[in-house]
Amino acid sequence: MKHRWLMAWALQIIEMLAAGLLASLAYGAGAGLYAAALWGLVPLAGLLTACRAVRRGLNNYLAWIAPAGCLYAAHFLLWGFSPAAGAALVTAFLSLVGAAAGEVLNQREGRQKR
């Protein structure tokens, strides 16, 4: 498939919008649950989706962008205001780590196949 990276990015965006919506819905459920979802669930989902997207063919320089953007989009669409900037920065950082890990795994796999 020629544009496999596009499908990987679309899947990552869908997954991160779902994680962002879950975290945003927790806003109405209580402060503790909201904080756990916003500062724990979404950053870890960003790490995992970025790694998987790179493994599926997305460039590692693009894979870290969608998670934080999707968090902002989901929260703004549901509540009309943006989430804490710190949570988005943690999400972006862990997504960057996940994208780098996916690239390293791809390189190691490529070396073993040679």
Side-chain angles (χ1 to χ4, degrees):
M1 191 157 112
K2 188 174 184 178
H3 297 290
R4 206 172 91 191
W5 67 271
L6 195 56
M7 188 61 138
W9 206 8
L11 186 59
Q12 180 190 25
I13 289 170
I14 291 167
E15 290 171 345
M16 286 309 301
L17 280 174
L21 281 173
L22 283 174
S24 297
L25 284 172
Y27 182 73
L33 184 61
Y34 176 64
L38 188 65
W39 292 88
L41 171 76
V42 176
L44 289 177
L47 182 132
L48 293 174
T49 60
C51 183
R52 285 192 351 220
V54 170
R55 299 281 291 159
R56 289 183 180 131
L58 182 62
N59 187 324
N60 64 328
Y61 295 113
L62 294 175
W64 68 272
I65 296 171
C70 289
L71 172 62
Y72 267 98
H75 204 281
F76 191 80
L77 287 173
L78 193 62
W79 297 109
F81 60 92
S82 61
L89 289 173
V90 169
T91 300
F93 176 70
L94 286 182
S95 300
L96 184 66
V97 170
E103 181 65 23
V104 168
L105 290 171
N106 284 344
Q107 288 176 357
R108 284 185 182 176
E109 188 177 276
R111 287 184 193 151
Q112 290 174 356
K113 287 184 178 180
R114 291 181 193 178

